Amino acid sequence: MGDKFEKNGEFEIENAAGVEPGFAGDQEEETPVVKEVLPCVALRGVTVFPNTVVHFDIGREKSMQALDRAMATDKLLFVSSQKSEKVLIPTSEDIYNVGTVVRVKQMLKIQGDVVRVLVEGLSRAIMDECVSEERYISCSVTRSEDEVLSEEDLSVNDQAEMRMLTDAFVEYAALSGQISDEVVNKILELDDPVEKVDRISNELLVPVPKKQKILEALVFSDRIHVLNTIIAEENEIAVVEKSLSEKVKKSLDKGQKDYYLREKIRVIEDELGDGDDTEEETEKWLKQLEELKLDPKIEAKVKKEINKFSKMQGTSAESAVIRNYVETILDLPWHKSSETNKDLKKAEKILDAEHYGMKDVKERIMEYLAVTKLTDSIRGPILCLVGPPGVGKTSIAKSIAKATGREYVRMSLGGVSDEAQIRGHMRTYIGAIPGRIIDCIRNAGTNNPLFLFDEIDKLGADYKGDPSSAMLEVLDPEQNSTFTDNFLEIPFDLSKVMFITTANNADTIPEPLLDRMELIEVPGYTELEKVKIAEKYLIPKQIKENGLKNENIKFTDGAIHDLINYYTRESGVRSLEREIGSLCRKVAKKVVTEDETVKYSITKKNLVKYLGKHRFSYDVVKGKDKVGVVTGLAWTAVGGVTLQIETITMPGQGKIELTGKMGDVMQESARIGISYVRSIADKLGIDPDFNKKNDLHIHIPEGAVPKDGPSAGVTMCTSIVSAVTGRPVRRDVAMTGEIDLEGDVLPVGGIREKMLAAHRAGIKQVLVPKENEPDIEELPAQVKEDVEFTFLDNIGQALEIALDKEKEA
C-alpha cells in the first residue's frame, strides 16, 4: 500500500504503485484509488455478492446503529462475513477483510427488535483500516470494480472456463435439488459474465469460507477458476453420496430401509435443530389455510408452496422467500372487516369536535359518507385533499377514520421513486418482499381500513419504474378488486378500502392519476380562525404534552393575535403550534425551577421576552406612497403571499432589465405591460419615445426565490405607468390579474389564498379581475368585511384607483 494519504471528507485518496493485480490486497499499478468510509455490518452465516439482491436479519445494537447511519446518509453499507459465527459482539478483527459494498433498498421490522434488510450488492471492497468501533464499526474501504464484459471479450481460457462453469452449475442444480429450473434459466440467460458468476456464487449451498474464497478473487479469471473448482468438488461429493446411498439401500430390506430413512432424517434434523419445527410449522400453515377458506385456485397455489418449503433446507435462501410468502398470505385479512359506523350524526359530531371551520370540506365528506351508507359500498371517486401545509389535511383523514369506525393506515409517497415499493418485488429475486400497500393492509388487520396516501403530488420516477402508473390500478374502483402484488402473484380485493390522498399542489399530479380523484380544496385559515383553533385545540394540546396544567399558564387574546401576526407567516397552523409549544416549555422550566403555584400569563408585553423580537411585519401599508412600487399578490404551494414590484427609469437607449429571478411567463407579462404603456402614451401625457430615451429596470425583491406566472400583469403595468409618469402608488392597495395587449384584465387562479394573504398583511383594497367575482363570494365573512374588493375589466380602472391624482413633486 502507498504511504501517502490525503483526507478528503468521507474519502481518502491513495496512490498505490508496484502491486500486481490478483486477490485481496492487490491493486493495479499507478492507479489512484478512492477510499470510502462506510458503516460496517458483520454477517453471521451469510455472504453477499455484487450483482445480487438478498435480505438478512439484524438485531445487534452496533449493526442497528450502522444501518441507521447508512439510512441517514447515502444508504451504503460495507458488509462482511464473520470468521466465526460463535462471536456474539464482533469487532473489525472478527470479520474478513474482503466484503461487499451494498445499497439498502428496504427495511421491514419483524419480531421484537429484529429488522429484515433488503440490500443490493454493488461491488467487492477491501477493508483498509477500522476508523471507529465506538457506536458501530466504521471502516475505510477500497472498492474493486469489475469491467463490464461480454463473453466474446474474454480470453480463450476464460471462455473455456465459463462453458465448464455453465455445465457444472446445471449439474450442481440437478444434483442438489434445491435450485429451481426457473432460477437456473434466468442466470444462464445473463449476458454479463461478471454478473453470471456472482449470481451462481450466490446460489451455492456451501459454507461461508468457501464463498469467501470466491468473493476474495478480485481478478475475474481467478474467480472463474475458484468457482469451477468449488462446484466440481461439490458435484463429485454429491455423486459419491448418491452412489453410496443407492448401494446401502439395495442391501436393506423394506423394513430396514424405512427405519434407516427415518433415522437419517431424524439425525439430520437434530443436527440442524429445525426438523420438528419445520414439520410443525407446515402443519400449522395448512390448518390456517383451511380456516381462511380462500378461492380454490389460490389455496392450491399456497399449498404447493408449503409443500415445496417442507422439502427444503431451512438455511437455503429460497426457503426464506417461501416462508415470507406463505406468512404474508396467511396474515392478510382476507375476510376480516371492522364494523363501520353508519351514524352520520355521530360522524359529524366527531369531525366538528376535532376540526374548527372547514365547512365546505366537512360537507363534502358527509355527502361522501351518506352515499357510502345508501349504496353499502365505497365505489366512486377517490377524495384528494389539496391545500397548503399545516391546514389539517392529514389530521382530518384521521378523523374520518375515527368517524367511520375504520382502522387508519398512512403511507407517505414523498420521494417514492421505485415501483416495487407499491407493487412489491418478483419472487425470482432472493430476498423479495411484498409492496408497502399489501404490508400496510396486513398490519391494519382488516380489509376495509381508511388508507391515506400522503403527499401524492411528490411521487418520483426513475429507471426502476414509475410509481404513479402502479397507483392507477390501486385508485381505480373498477380494477382494485383484483389488485395483484408482484410478490404474492394472486389477487387481493382492495375495493372495501376507503382511499384518501393529500397534496399541496394538484398541478404536479400526473393527469391519469388526477382523473381518478375528486379534488377537495382545504384552504388556509383567516386570523380569526387561527385564534379559535389555538384556543380550542393547540393550547390545550401543548399544555398537556409539556406536563403543565391550566393552573400553570394562561394565554391572553392579544398574545395569540401577536403570535399569529408577528411570529408566523403561513396558511396553516403548524408554525403557530410550534411557537405555542416553545412558550409552554419555557413556562414548564419556570414551574420546575421557580414556583409551581404561580400562574404565568403570556401577554403582548412579555411575548418578546419569551420569543425574541418580531420575525414578521404584519402591516405592510405603513409608510408613504412611492413611485413605481406596487403591492402584488401571488400563490405558492404554502399559501398566498404579498410581493412588491418595483420599477425605475433612467436615461438610456431603451434597454429593459428584469431581475428578481422571474420565470419566462412573468418576463412576458412585463414586456406586455411595456408595450401597452407605449400604445397609450398620449393618454398618459408622456413622450411617445420615452422607451428610446430611457432604460427601464423592473425588479421583484427576494431575488433568490423563483417567481413565475401571468397573474402579475396588472401589477407590473401599474408599476411601469407609475415610474414613467412619476405618480406614486397607494400603499393600501394590492392587485392581481393577467393583462393582454389591449389592456383587458383576464382571470387568474389562487384567489382565496391571495385574498387571505392580503387580509393578513392589512391591505384595505384589492383589485381583482371581473371574472373572478364568484371566487370572492366564497371568502370568509371576516375577509369580505375588512377588505374592499374592486373588480376590473380593463387596466385603466386599476390605474385610476391605484395612482395618486397628481404627480409627486
Side-chain angles (χ1 to χ4, degrees):
M1 307 293 285
D3 56 4
K4 183 179 178 183
F5 293 82
E6 183 180 337
K7 290 283 184 180
N8 186 18
E10 286 290 312
F11 298 93
E12 298 174 350
I13 310 299
E14 176 185 6
N15 295 319
V19 183
E20 293 296 326
F23 286 82
D26 296 337
Q27 304 289 342
E28 289 188 14
E29 189 170 341
E30 296 295 333
T31 304
V33 178
V34 177
K35 291 184 177 182
E36 301 173 71
V37 177
L38 297 176
C40 172
V41 171
L43 302 178
R44 281 196 287 187
V46 180
T47 304
V48 179
F49 288 89
N51 300 306
T52 62
V53 177
V54 298
H55 81 273
F56 50 79
D57 298 343
I58 63 172
R60 295 184 290 204
E61 182 61 27
K62 284 194 174 183
S63 298
M64 297 291 283
Q65 293 277 6
L67 180 61
D68 288 344
R69 173 61 182 168
M71 296 305 291
T73 52
D74 51 12
K75 298 187 179 181
L76 295 183
L77 280 172
F78 175 69
V79 297
S80 181
S81 305
Q82 289 184 202
K83 296 172 184 175
S84 170
E85 293 184 30
K86 295 179 181 178
V87 178
L88 297 180
I89 305 176
T91 66
S92 59
E93 299 295 324
D94 298 313
I95 61 175
Y96 291 101
N97 275 353
V98 177
T100 306
V101 175
V102 301
R103 185 184 302 281
V104 180
K105 289 176 71 69
Q106 202 164 353
M107 299 189 310
L108 180 66
K109 188 170 183 180
I110 51 178
Q111 298 175 350
D113 294 326
V114 179
V115 173
R116 183 160 291 166
V117 186
L118 181 70
V119 301
E120 177 185 8
L122 301 179
S123 65
R124 286 168 170 76
I126 304 161
M127 179 172 65
D128 299 301
E129 62 174 329
C130 178
V131 176
S132 170
E133 293 192 46
E134 187 175 346
R135 288 174 53 241
Y136 56 87
I137 300 174
S138 174
C139 54
S140 169
V141 302
T142 303
R143 294 203 199 192
S144 175
E145 303 284 0
D146 287 302
E147 186 180 351
V148 179
L149 301 168
S150 64
E151 293 200 15
E152 290 74 21
D153 297 328
L154 300 176
S155 66
V156 175
N157 284 343
D158 287 348
Q159 288 188 37
E161 289 263 21
M162 285 300 295
R163 290 182 186 179
M164 287 172 58
L165 176 61
T166 301
D167 295 337
F169 178 60
V170 172
E171 183 184 358
Y172 174 83
L175 287 169
S176 69
Q178 301 296 317
I179 306 173
S180 66
D181 292 340
E182 187 179 3
V183 173
V184 173
N185 292 335
K186 246 185 175 350
I187 291 174
L188 296 183
E189 287 170 3
L190 294 171
D191 293 325
D192 182 359
V194 174
E195 184 178 356
K196 186 183 288 186
V197 168
D198 285 333
R199 291 283 291 276
I200 290 173
S201 304
N202 189 58
E203 293 298 326
L204 297 186
L205 306 172
V206 297
V208 167
K210 285 192 175 183
K211 285 194 173 184
Q212 188 65 28
K213 277 188 180 180
I214 304 169
L215 190 66
E216 291 181 355
L218 304 184
V219 177
F220 182 63
S221 57
D222 294 334
R223 193 180 310 153
I224 310 173
H225 181 71
V226 171
L227 182 55
N228 259 328
T229 303
I230 290 173
I231 293 182
E233 288 174 1
E234 293 297 314
N235 287 348
E236 189 173 347
I237 292 168
V239 170
V240 171
E241 279 185 343
K242 188 176 181 181
S243 175
L244 288 173
S245 183
E246 286 175 357
K247 287 178 182 177
V248 171
K249 285 177 185 177
K250 286 178 183 177
S251 65
L252 300 172
D253 59 25
K254 188 176 184 304
Q256 288 174 314
K257 176 183 174 183
D258 290 346
Y259 175 77
Y260 165 77
L261 288 174
R262 287 194 191 97
E263 284 300 304
K264 186 174 181 180
I265 290 170
R266 186 183 65 78
V267 170
I268 291 171
E269 289 174 346
D270 287 345
E271 285 294 319
L272 293 173
D274 61 357
D276 293 336
D277 291 344
T278 300
E279 190 175 342
E280 286 176 15
E281 202 165 21
T282 53
E283 285 179 8
K284 180 185 170 186
W285 285 349
L286 289 169
K287 186 179 178 182
Q288 284 180 273
L289 182 62
E290 190 178 343
E291 291 172 354
L292 284 176
K293 295 179 180 176
L294 300 177
D295 181 272
K297 289 182 180 178
I298 297 175
E299 190 171 327
K301 182 177 176 63
V302 179
K303 278 184 178 177
K304 185 179 176 183
E305 295 295 331
I306 294 174
N307 242 4
K308 192 191 294 184
F309 177 83
S310 66
K311 298 172 185 175
M312 284 185 171
Q313 287 186 15
T315 55
S316 70
E318 194 175 356
S319 72
V321 175
I322 294 176
R323 178 193 294 275
N324 194 13
Y325 176 80
V326 174
E327 287 179 346
T328 300
I329 289 176
L330 296 179
D331 286 347
L332 281 172
W334 294 91
H335 306 297
K336 186 179 178 183
S337 303
S338 57
E339 188 176 344
T340 56
N341 169 40
K342 296 184 179 179
D343 185 346
L344 293 189
K345 289 185 178 178
K346 182 180 177 183
E348 190 171 16
K349 280 183 181 177
I350 292 172
L351 292 175
D352 287 337
E354 297 189 354
H355 290 84
Y356 180 82
M358 304 176 79
K359 182 181 175 184
D360 294 340
V361 177
K362 289 177 184 175
E363 186 177 345
R364 180 61 191 92
I365 289 169
M366 293 306 297
E367 290 170 3
Y368 182 80
L369 297 178
V371 172
T372 301
K373 179 181 178 181
L374 291 174
T375 60
D376 201 25
S377 72
I378 55 173
R379 288 182 177 272
I382 308 298
L383 299 183
C384 179
L385 307 176
V386 182
V391 294
K393 300 184 295 298
T394 303
S395 62
I396 201 167
K398 201 178 289 186
S399 297
I400 295 170
K402 184 178 177 182
T404 56
R406 296 172 183 268
E407 292 294 323
Y408 173 73
V409 177
R410 175 182 170 273
M411 177 179 169
S412 177
L413 296 177
V416 171
S417 59
D418 187 353
E419 185 184 342
Q421 292 197 47
I422 308 294
R423 285 187 175 277
H425 298 86
M426 300 290 288
R427 282 194 297 137
T428 49
Y429 293 102
I430 299 299
I433 53 179
R436 287 173 62 189
I437 291 176
I438 288 295
D439 195 51
C440 287
I441 296 290
R442 177 186 180 183
N443 292 333
T446 63
N447 62 5
N448 65 337
L450 184 143
F451 203 126
L452 176 68
F453 288 112
D454 214 0
E455 313 289 1
I456 197 169
D457 56 328
K458 296 173 182 63
L459 271 174
D462 61 14
Y463 67 93
K464 296 174 187 173
D466 183 2
S468 63
S469 299
M471 291 293 295
L472 294 177
E473 181 185 0
V474 179
L475 297 181
D476 191 337
E478 301 299 325
Q479 300 180 47
N480 63 14
S481 59
T482 55
F483 172 72
T484 303
D485 187 275
N486 290 332
F487 180 78
L488 298 184
E489 296 176 333
I490 55 177
F492 185 82
D493 186 3
L494 296 177
S495 63
K496 295 179 181 179
V497 179
M498 179 184 282
F499 289 108
I500 292 180
T501 66
T502 71
N504 294 132
N505 184 6
D507 294 340
T508 58
I509 302 175
E511 195 64 37
L513 201 55
L514 195 61
D515 186 54
R516 285 163 168 76
M517 300 186 291
E518 178 182 343
L519 299 185
I520 298 180
E521 296 285 344
V522 184
Y525 298 114
T526 64
E527 182 180 340
L528 182 61
E529 287 173 332
K530 289 183 181 181
V531 170
K532 295 292 184 185
I533 291 169
E535 291 175 342
K536 193 173 180 181
Y537 304 100
L538 304 185
I539 292 175
K541 178 184 174 184
Q542 288 300 320
I543 287 175
K544 184 178 178 181
E545 285 187 0
N546 289 282
L548 296 172
K549 298 177 182 176
N550 290 331
E551 295 78 30
N552 299 130
I553 187 170
K554 177 188 176 184
F555 287 80
T556 65
D557 288 345
I560 297 172
H561 279 279
D562 276 14
L563 268 177
I564 294 166
N565 294 327
Y566 300 119
Y567 292 92
T568 66
R569 181 61 55 86
E570 58 179 346
S571 295
V573 292
R574 194 168 287 156
S575 295
L576 178 59
E577 183 175 7
R578 270 197 297 270
E579 297 301 334
I580 292 170
S582 174
L583 289 166
C584 288
R585 287 192 296 275
K586 293 179 187 302
V587 169
K589 180 185 173 186
K590 284 180 174 290
V591 168
V592 173
T593 59
E594 296 178 17
D595 189 349
E596 62 180 26
T597 61
V598 174
K599 187 167 189 174
Y600 296 92
S601 290
I602 307 298
T603 65
K604 290 180 70 171
K605 291 182 179 178
N606 64 17
L607 204 55
V608 174
K609 172 186 168 186
Y610 284 112
L611 295 180
K613 64 180 183 179
H614 292 173
R615 295 175 200 149
F616 299 99
S617 172
Y618 169 62
D619 194 354
V620 301
V621 302
K622 290 179 180 177
K624 66 177 186 176
D625 301 342
K626 295 181 181 179
V627 173
V629 180
V630 185
T631 301
L633 300 169
W635 178 92
T636 72
V638 294
V641 294
T642 59
L643 52 81
Q644 302 294 311
I645 294 181
E646 305 169 346
T647 303
I648 61 170
T649 62
M650 61 204 94
Q653 299 176 345
K655 291 181 181 178
I656 301 170
E657 193 76 33
L658 304 174
T659 57
K661 211 165 187 180
M662 298 186 203
D664 292 341
V665 177
M666 185 170 273
Q667 290 186 32
E668 288 173 1
S669 295
R671 297 181 191 282
I672 289 171
I674 293 168
S675 297
Y676 178 72
V677 172
R678 288 175 60 191
S679 70
I680 61 167
D682 55 337
K683 293 181 182 178
L684 295 173
I686 59 176
D687 184 353
D689 294 329
F690 78 92
N691 63 302
K692 295 179 182 178
K693 301 173 183 177
N694 296 281
D695 291 344
L696 275 179
H697 188 155
I698 303 173
H699 175 67
I700 304 178
E702 297 185 27
V705 181
K707 310 165 190 75
D708 207 357
S711 63
V714 170
T715 317
M716 285 186 166
C717 188
T718 304
S719 178
I720 294 165
V721 171
S722 172
V724 298
T725 61
R727 292 168 63 187
V729 183
R730 288 172 54 193
R731 293 277 285 169
D732 62 346
V733 173
M735 57 193 74
T736 185
E738 180 181 355
I739 63 166
D740 60 18
L741 288 172
E742 294 181 352
D744 293 329
V745 179
L746 308 178
V748 293
I751 289 294
R752 181 186 173 93
E753 286 75 16
K754 291 175 182 178
M755 298 309 110
L756 290 178
H759 183 254
R760 281 197 303 269
I763 298 295
K764 301 303 179 187
Q765 185 175 8
V766 180
L767 312 184
V768 186
K770 176 72 174 174
E771 292 183 45
N772 285 118
E773 190 170 355
D775 298 316
I776 300 299
E777 293 301 320
E778 296 179 5
L779 291 176
Q782 182 190 0
V783 177
K784 291 190 285 187
E785 183 180 329
D786 294 346
V787 180
E788 178 187 350
F789 296 100
T790 303
F791 302 103
L792 307 176
D793 290 313
N794 190 275
I795 185 65
Q797 296 167 275
L799 299 177
E800 184 70 21
I801 295 168
L803 298 179
D804 281 356
K805 302 299 179 184
E806 298 180 4
K807 284 188 178 183
E808 190 179 58

